[in-house]
Amino acid sequence: FRYHLERFRISWMSGADYMKIEKNNVLVSSLVQSKKVNMYKEVKIEFVGDKVNDAGGLLREWMHMVIKEMFDESTGIFQLCKTDDIMYKLKWD
């Protein structure tokens, strides 16, 4: 098992991959950019138009924005179920 994982290891000296995210279209740009990065490397976030380096804070902000957009009633991919419990289901429209 350990040998199997070792073949995916990438040296930290190989650098990081960057995802360039548009703040006005976080979910779609994240899906497009995720296809261009190697998820076995360190992934850093860059917001288009911002002049801030990612030291971990942008990754947290990006994750918060993606989740918020996924559950947004008007644009998200999940909708609240009509039950007494708090449950979500995929939107199909």
Side-chain angles (χ1 to χ4, degrees), residues 26-74:
V26 175
L27 190 57
V28 172
S29 65
S30 296
L31 290 171
V32 170
Q33 289 293 309
S34 67
K35 294 178 183 179
K36 299 177 182 178
V37 298
N38 182 345
M39 290 297 182
Y40 291 103
K41 283 185 167 183
E42 180 180 4
V43 176
K44 293 192 177 267
I45 302 300
E46 181 181 319
F47 288 112
V48 176
D50 281 1
K51 294 183 180 183
V52 179
N53 289 330
D54 185 7
L58 291 181
L59 187 62
R60 286 188 294 273
E61 180 182 354
W62 167 75
M63 187 57 108
H64 174 76
M65 292 170 74
V66 167
I67 292 171
K68 185 176 178 182
E69 195 168 316
M70 286 174 64
F71 288 93
D72 184 271
E73 288 185 26
S74 61

Side-chain angles (χ1 to χ4, degrees), residues 1 54 71 80 84:
F1 179 73
D54 185 7
F71 288 93
L80 190 61
D84 292 336

